[in-house]
Short mmCIF file of all heavy atoms in Angstrom, two decimals:
data_model
loop_
_atom_site.label_atom_id
_atom_site.label_comp_id
_atom_site.label_asym_id
_atom_site.label_seq_id
_atom_site.Cartn_x
_atom_site.Cartn_y
_atom_site.Cartn_z
N MET A 101 -105.03 -61.21 18.06
CA MET A 101 -104.42 -61.03 19.39
C MET A 101 -103.27 -60.03 19.33
O MET A 101 -102.99 -59.31 20.29
CB MET A 101 -103.91 -62.41 19.92
CG MET A 101 -105.03 -63.28 20.48
SD MET A 101 -106.07 -62.49 21.68
CE MET A 101 -104.88 -62.14 23.00
N LEU A 102 -102.56 -60.04 18.19
CA LEU A 102 -101.46 -59.07 18.09
C LEU A 102 -101.96 -57.64 18.12
O LEU A 102 -101.46 -56.80 18.81
CB LEU A 102 -100.75 -59.29 16.71
CG LEU A 102 -99.51 -58.47 16.42
CD1 LEU A 102 -98.31 -58.95 17.19
CD2 LEU A 102 -99.18 -58.48 14.94
N VAL A 103 -103.05 -57.35 17.32
CA VAL A 103 -103.64 -56.08 17.29
C VAL A 103 -104.21 -55.72 18.69
O VAL A 103 -104.06 -54.59 19.19
CB VAL A 103 -104.74 -56.01 16.23
CG1 VAL A 103 -105.50 -54.68 16.30
CG2 VAL A 103 -104.13 -56.21 14.83
N LEU A 104 -104.88 -56.67 19.28
CA LEU A 104 -105.48 -56.45 20.64
C LEU A 104 -104.39 -56.04 21.62
O LEU A 104 -104.57 -55.13 22.44
CB LEU A 104 -106.16 -57.68 21.11
CG LEU A 104 -106.83 -57.68 22.49
CD1 LEU A 104 -107.88 -56.54 22.59
CD2 LEU A 104 -107.50 -59.02 22.83
N ASN A 105 -103.30 -56.73 21.63
CA ASN A 105 -102.17 -56.43 22.54
C ASN A 105 -101.61 -55.04 22.29
O ASN A 105 -101.39 -54.31 23.25
CB ASN A 105 -101.06 -57.45 22.47
CG ASN A 105 -101.37 -58.67 23.34
OD1 ASN A 105 -101.39 -58.56 24.54
ND2 ASN A 105 -101.58 -59.80 22.74
N LEU A 106 -101.36 -54.73 21.04
CA LEU A 106 -100.83 -53.42 20.71
C LEU A 106 -101.82 -52.33 21.10
O LEU A 106 -101.40 -51.33 21.72
CB LEU A 106 -100.56 -53.34 19.22
CG LEU A 106 -99.42 -54.14 18.63
CD1 LEU A 106 -99.38 -54.04 17.13
CD2 LEU A 106 -98.09 -53.71 19.27
N ALA A 107 -103.13 -52.53 20.83
CA ALA A 107 -104.10 -51.49 21.17
C ALA A 107 -104.20 -51.30 22.68
O ALA A 107 -104.25 -50.14 23.18
CB ALA A 107 -105.50 -51.90 20.60
N CYS A 108 -104.12 -52.35 23.45
CA CYS A 108 -104.33 -52.24 24.90
C CYS A 108 -103.06 -51.62 25.57
O CYS A 108 -103.21 -50.74 26.45
CB CYS A 108 -104.67 -53.59 25.54
SG CYS A 108 -106.30 -54.09 25.18
N PHE A 109 -101.93 -52.09 25.17
CA PHE A 109 -100.66 -51.51 25.74
C PHE A 109 -100.52 -50.05 25.28
O PHE A 109 -100.23 -49.16 26.10
CB PHE A 109 -99.43 -52.29 25.33
CG PHE A 109 -99.22 -53.50 26.23
CD1 PHE A 109 -99.76 -54.71 25.94
CD2 PHE A 109 -98.47 -53.30 27.42
CE1 PHE A 109 -99.55 -55.80 26.79
CE2 PHE A 109 -98.24 -54.38 28.24
CZ PHE A 109 -98.84 -55.65 27.98
N GLY A 110 -100.88 -49.75 23.96
CA GLY A 110 -100.73 -48.42 23.52
C GLY A 110 -101.79 -47.52 24.17
O GLY A 110 -101.44 -46.37 24.53
N GLY A 111 -102.98 -47.98 24.35
CA GLY A 111 -104.02 -47.20 24.99
C GLY A 111 -103.64 -46.87 26.42
O GLY A 111 -103.79 -45.71 26.85
N ALA A 112 -103.22 -47.87 27.14
CA ALA A 112 -102.81 -47.64 28.57
C ALA A 112 -101.69 -46.62 28.67
O ALA A 112 -101.68 -45.77 29.49
CB ALA A 112 -102.50 -48.97 29.22
N ALA A 113 -100.69 -46.84 27.76
CA ALA A 113 -99.52 -45.89 27.76
C ALA A 113 -99.95 -44.48 27.49
O ALA A 113 -99.51 -43.55 28.13
CB ALA A 113 -98.51 -46.36 26.71
N ALA A 114 -100.91 -44.26 26.53
CA ALA A 114 -101.40 -43.00 26.21
C ALA A 114 -102.15 -42.33 27.39
O ALA A 114 -101.90 -41.22 27.75
CB ALA A 114 -102.36 -43.07 25.01
N GLY A 115 -102.98 -43.18 28.04
CA GLY A 115 -103.70 -42.69 29.21
C GLY A 115 -102.74 -42.19 30.30
O GLY A 115 -102.95 -41.16 30.92
N LEU A 116 -101.72 -42.98 30.59
CA LEU A 116 -100.70 -42.62 31.63
C LEU A 116 -99.95 -41.38 31.19
O LEU A 116 -99.66 -40.51 32.12
CB LEU A 116 -99.78 -43.81 31.89
CG LEU A 116 -100.45 -45.02 32.49
CD1 LEU A 116 -99.41 -46.17 32.68
CD2 LEU A 116 -101.12 -44.72 33.83
N PHE A 117 -99.61 -41.29 29.91
CA PHE A 117 -98.89 -40.11 29.43
C PHE A 117 -99.76 -38.81 29.69
O PHE A 117 -99.28 -37.81 30.11
CB PHE A 117 -98.50 -40.22 28.02
CG PHE A 117 -97.88 -39.00 27.47
CD1 PHE A 117 -96.52 -38.74 27.72
CD2 PHE A 117 -98.58 -38.13 26.67
CE1 PHE A 117 -95.94 -37.57 27.21
CE2 PHE A 117 -98.04 -36.91 26.20
CZ PHE A 117 -96.72 -36.67 26.43
N PHE A 118 -101.07 -38.93 29.29
CA PHE A 118 -101.97 -37.76 29.46
C PHE A 118 -102.04 -37.39 30.93
O PHE A 118 -102.00 -36.16 31.25
CB PHE A 118 -103.40 -38.09 28.97
CG PHE A 118 -103.47 -38.34 27.46
CD1 PHE A 118 -104.38 -39.26 26.97
CD2 PHE A 118 -102.64 -37.67 26.63
CE1 PHE A 118 -104.46 -39.49 25.61
CE2 PHE A 118 -102.73 -37.91 25.25
CZ PHE A 118 -103.63 -38.79 24.75
N LEU A 119 -102.04 -38.38 31.81
CA LEU A 119 -102.11 -38.05 33.24
C LEU A 119 -100.82 -37.38 33.74
O LEU A 119 -100.86 -36.41 34.48
CB LEU A 119 -102.34 -39.34 34.00
CG LEU A 119 -103.75 -39.77 34.21
CD1 LEU A 119 -103.89 -41.19 34.69
CD2 LEU A 119 -104.44 -38.80 35.25
N LEU A 120 -99.70 -37.86 33.21
CA LEU A 120 -98.38 -37.25 33.53
C LEU A 120 -98.40 -35.85 33.13
O LEU A 120 -97.97 -34.89 33.89
CB LEU A 120 -97.28 -38.08 32.92
CG LEU A 120 -95.84 -37.60 33.28
CD1 LEU A 120 -95.57 -37.81 34.73
CD2 LEU A 120 -94.84 -38.35 32.39
N ALA A 121 -98.85 -35.57 31.86
CA ALA A 121 -98.87 -34.17 31.34
C ALA A 121 -99.75 -33.36 32.26
O ALA A 121 -99.38 -32.16 32.54
CB ALA A 121 -99.40 -34.18 29.92
N LEU A 122 -100.88 -33.86 32.69
CA LEU A 122 -101.79 -33.13 33.54
C LEU A 122 -101.16 -32.75 34.89
O LEU A 122 -101.26 -31.61 35.41
CB LEU A 122 -103.11 -33.86 33.76
CG LEU A 122 -104.16 -33.68 32.70
CD1 LEU A 122 -105.17 -34.78 32.74
CD2 LEU A 122 -104.87 -32.36 32.92
N VAL A 123 -100.46 -33.76 35.46
CA VAL A 123 -99.80 -33.52 36.77
C VAL A 123 -98.69 -32.48 36.67
O VAL A 123 -98.56 -31.61 37.50
CB VAL A 123 -99.21 -34.87 37.32
CG1 VAL A 123 -98.35 -34.63 38.56
CG2 VAL A 123 -100.37 -35.82 37.67
N VAL A 124 -97.92 -32.56 35.56
CA VAL A 124 -96.87 -31.54 35.26
C VAL A 124 -97.50 -30.17 35.17
O VAL A 124 -97.02 -29.16 35.76
CB VAL A 124 -96.03 -31.93 34.04
CG1 VAL A 124 -95.11 -30.78 33.68
CG2 VAL A 124 -95.25 -33.15 34.30
N GLN A 125 -98.60 -30.05 34.40
CA GLN A 125 -99.28 -28.77 34.25
C GLN A 125 -99.80 -28.28 35.57
O GLN A 125 -99.69 -27.09 35.87
CB GLN A 125 -100.47 -28.92 33.26
CG GLN A 125 -100.10 -28.99 31.80
CD GLN A 125 -101.24 -29.41 30.92
OE1 GLN A 125 -102.38 -29.10 31.23
NE2 GLN A 125 -100.97 -30.07 29.85
N GLY A 126 -100.30 -29.19 36.37
CA GLY A 126 -100.82 -28.84 37.67
C GLY A 126 -99.78 -28.25 38.60
O GLY A 126 -99.93 -27.25 39.28
N THR A 127 -98.53 -28.95 38.65
CA THR A 127 -97.53 -28.51 39.54
C THR A 127 -96.82 -27.21 39.06
O THR A 127 -96.35 -26.47 39.86
CB THR A 127 -96.44 -29.61 39.80
OG1 THR A 127 -96.10 -30.12 38.46
CG2 THR A 127 -96.96 -30.74 40.63
N SER A 128 -96.88 -27.02 37.73
CA SER A 128 -96.19 -25.80 37.24
C SER A 128 -97.17 -24.62 37.25
O SER A 128 -96.83 -23.48 36.79
CB SER A 128 -95.69 -26.06 35.79
OG SER A 128 -96.83 -26.18 34.94
N GLY A 129 -98.41 -24.85 37.68
CA GLY A 129 -99.38 -23.71 37.85
C GLY A 129 -100.06 -23.32 36.58
O GLY A 129 -100.80 -22.35 36.58
N GLU A 130 -99.91 -24.19 35.53
CA GLU A 130 -100.63 -23.87 34.21
C GLU A 130 -102.09 -23.91 34.34
O GLU A 130 -102.86 -23.11 33.73
CB GLU A 130 -100.14 -24.82 33.13
CG GLU A 130 -98.96 -24.29 32.36
CD GLU A 130 -98.53 -25.28 31.31
OE1 GLU A 130 -99.33 -25.53 30.37
OE2 GLU A 130 -97.46 -25.82 31.41
N ILE A 131 -102.63 -24.88 35.11
CA ILE A 131 -104.01 -25.03 35.23
C ILE A 131 -104.69 -23.85 36.01
O ILE A 131 -105.70 -23.35 35.65
CB ILE A 131 -104.40 -26.42 35.90
CG1 ILE A 131 -104.04 -27.60 34.92
CG2 ILE A 131 -105.86 -26.51 36.31
CD1 ILE A 131 -104.08 -28.88 35.62
N ALA A 132 -103.94 -23.50 37.08
CA ALA A 132 -104.47 -22.38 37.91
C ALA A 132 -104.41 -21.09 37.06
O ALA A 132 -105.39 -20.26 37.06
CB ALA A 132 -103.59 -22.20 39.12
N ALA A 133 -103.43 -20.93 36.20
CA ALA A 133 -103.30 -19.80 35.30
C ALA A 133 -104.49 -19.78 34.31
O ALA A 133 -105.09 -18.74 34.10
CB ALA A 133 -101.97 -19.81 34.55
N ALA A 134 -104.77 -20.94 33.75
CA ALA A 134 -105.89 -21.08 32.78
C ALA A 134 -107.19 -20.74 33.45
O ALA A 134 -108.01 -20.06 32.86
CB ALA A 134 -105.88 -22.45 32.17
N ALA A 135 -107.31 -21.20 34.74
CA ALA A 135 -108.59 -20.94 35.46
C ALA A 135 -108.75 -19.45 35.73
O ALA A 135 -109.84 -18.91 35.50
CB ALA A 135 -108.48 -21.70 36.77
N SER A 136 -107.63 -18.74 36.18
CA SER A 136 -107.77 -17.32 36.41
C SER A 136 -107.97 -16.50 35.16
O SER A 136 -108.67 -15.54 35.11
CB SER A 136 -106.57 -16.78 37.18
OG SER A 136 -105.39 -16.98 36.44
N GLN A 137 -107.35 -17.00 34.05
CA GLN A 137 -107.55 -16.41 32.73
C GLN A 137 -108.99 -16.49 32.32
O GLN A 137 -109.57 -15.49 31.79
CB GLN A 137 -106.64 -17.05 31.72
CG GLN A 137 -106.36 -16.16 30.58
CD GLN A 137 -105.26 -16.84 29.57
OE1 GLN A 137 -105.22 -18.01 29.56
NE2 GLN A 137 -104.61 -16.02 28.86
#
Side-chain angles (χ1 to χ4, degrees):
Chain A
M101 283 308 298
L102 182 77
V103 172
L104 178 59
N105 275 294
L106 290 176
C108 287
F109 276 91
L116 295 178
F117 175 79
F118 295 147
L119 273 166
L120 183 66
L122 273 161
V123 171
V124 170
Q125 284 170 29
T127 46
S128 69
E130 268 180 64
I131 291 168
S136 61
Q137 205 174 23

